[in-house]
Amino acid sequence: MDWLTTQISDHKIPLGSWIAGFFDFLINNFATFFDLLSALLEFVVEGLTTLMQACPPLALIASIAVLAWWLHRSLWLVLSIAAFLLLIINQGYWDQTLETLALVFFATLVCMLIGTPIGIAAAHRPWLYAVIRPILDLMQTIPTFVYLIPTLILFGLGVVPGLISTVIFAIPAPIRLTYLGVHSVPQQLLEAGKAFGANRRQLLWKVELPHAMPTIMAGLTQAIMLSLSMVVIAALVGADGLGKPVVRALGTVNIKMGIEAGLAIVVVAILLDRICKHPGRRHTVG
């Protein structure tokens, strides 16, 4: 038995070498493309951050509160948002919070723009979901630090490898939940739509998507939460935001800084979850 084990270990399949060779091929042949993509993504994310930082903090807080009121008609939610964001300003993490919001916003936008159509296509084509399901399982089970290695090699230090790693980590959620929402549309609704003469496009936009919207919104919320969970990890490769003080506090054992920055991340997560949650029933008071 030991002999067999030795033979297996002595004849190692060079998976790591193959993958490393593949990335060497990409770098040697498509370096210009990755540089341009990196510059474009960095320009967009940093531009959004600069735009938000140019807005007076109290005006931005008021805008977010108005958006929350328009979506949910909840006075309690509006007051909570204002209080929590003022707390972040009080703790001195406003600029880092805006950097984190820009990263999360853009990562979530990319996840929804790519994940929602894939989920719809998979719901209509069972063979497609059978193909992508093991890929989604792999994307959700690979340790998050592993995502940083190839993106760091291709894009270098900065916000871009953190952004791309975040998208890869978070995109399975909207794909799965969009698939679940569209796939679970009752057959009776589809038959009723067909009876009224609806074609496939009309069935999608007027029957399937409205019925699946709560589940799709749950996918949006999951993408936001997963993106926020990558904030600290993305800071390890140079992404700005609330992850940087957490990493700095970890390196210097600074309990005060770690708790303050961690609290800001928790506050952002709670606020985004409450704002982006599907409105459902609206209330006039909290």
Side-chain angles (χ1 to χ4, degrees), residues 123-124 181-212:
H124 291 155
V182 176
H183 187 262
S184 62
V185 175
Q187 192 64 30
Q188 295 87 337
L189 285 179
L190 297 176
E191 294 297 336
K194 292 177 182 178
F196 282 99
N199 55 35
R200 292 183 62 180
R201 179 176 298 180
Q202 290 171 330
L203 283 176
L204 173 64
W205 288 101
K206 297 185 178 182
V207 178
E208 293 178 328
L209 288 182
H211 184 274

Side-chain angles (χ1 to χ4, degrees), residues 91-279:
Q91 295 298 305
Y93 290 96
W94 180 250
D95 287 339
Q96 292 93 329
T97 299
L98 295 183
E99 292 168 348
T100 295
L101 285 174
L103 179 63
V104 171
F105 172 81
F106 195 73
T108 304
L109 178 64
V110 173
C111 287
M112 296 305 295
L113 289 177
I114 298 176
T116 302
I118 293 177
I120 294 172
H124 291 155
R125 299 168 180 82
W127 63 267
L128 177 59
Y129 187 69
V131 171
I132 66 175
R133 183 176 180 179
I135 300 175
L136 297 177
D137 292 338
L138 183 65
M139 293 169 67
Q140 290 183 305
T141 53
I142 289 180
T144 52
F145 283 97
V146 176
Y147 292 125
L148 299 179
I149 300 173
T151 54
L152 184 60
I153 292 173
L154 296 176
F155 299 100
L157 286 172
V159 68
V160 176
L163 173 64
I164 294 177
S165 299
T166 300
V167 170
I168 295 173
F169 179 67
I171 200 170
I175 293 176
R176 288 185 185 276
L177 287 170
T178 300
Y179 164 82
L180 178 63
V182 176
H183 187 262
S184 62
V185 175
Q187 192 64 30
Q188 295 87 337
L189 285 179
L190 297 176
E191 294 297 336
K194 292 177 182 178
F196 282 99
N199 55 35
R200 292 183 62 180
R201 179 176 298 180
Q202 290 171 330
L203 283 176
L204 173 64
W205 288 101
K206 297 185 178 182
V207 178
E208 293 178 328
L209 288 182
H211 184 274
M213 190 54 63
T215 309
I216 295 174
M217 292 299 295
L220 171 65
T221 303
Q222 286 295 310
I224 291 173
M225 295 300 106
L226 291 171
S227 298
L228 272 173
S229 70
M230 287 288 288
V231 166
V232 176
I233 298 174
L236 296 174
V237 292
D240 293 325
L242 292 169
K244 271 196 171 180
V246 173
V247 173
R248 195 178 302 119
L250 183 62
T252 59
V253 197
N254 189 329
I255 298 176
K256 172 179 172 293
M257 181 187 296
I259 291 177
E260 291 173 351
L263 178 62
I265 294 174
V266 171
V267 167
V268 171
I270 293 174
L271 296 185
L272 289 177
D273 176 69
R274 295 297 182 268
I275 292 175
C276 297
K277 184 174 292 184
H278 192 261

Side-chain angles (χ1 to χ4, degrees), residues 43-96:
F43 172 78
V44 172
V45 176
E46 291 186 354
L48 179 59
T49 303
T50 302
L51 181 63
M52 290 192 296
Q53 289 176 342
C55 182
L58 295 181
L60 188 57
I61 292 175
S63 301
I64 296 173
V66 169
L67 175 64
W69 173 260
W70 180 71
L71 289 174
H72 299 278
R73 297 294 194 272
S74 172
L75 180 61
W76 173 250
L77 177 62
V78 171
L79 294 177
S80 299
I81 288 174
F84 281 134
L85 293 179
L86 289 174
L87 176 63
I88 291 177
I89 294 177
N90 174 262
Q91 295 298 305
Y93 290 96
W94 180 250
D95 287 339
Q96 292 93 329

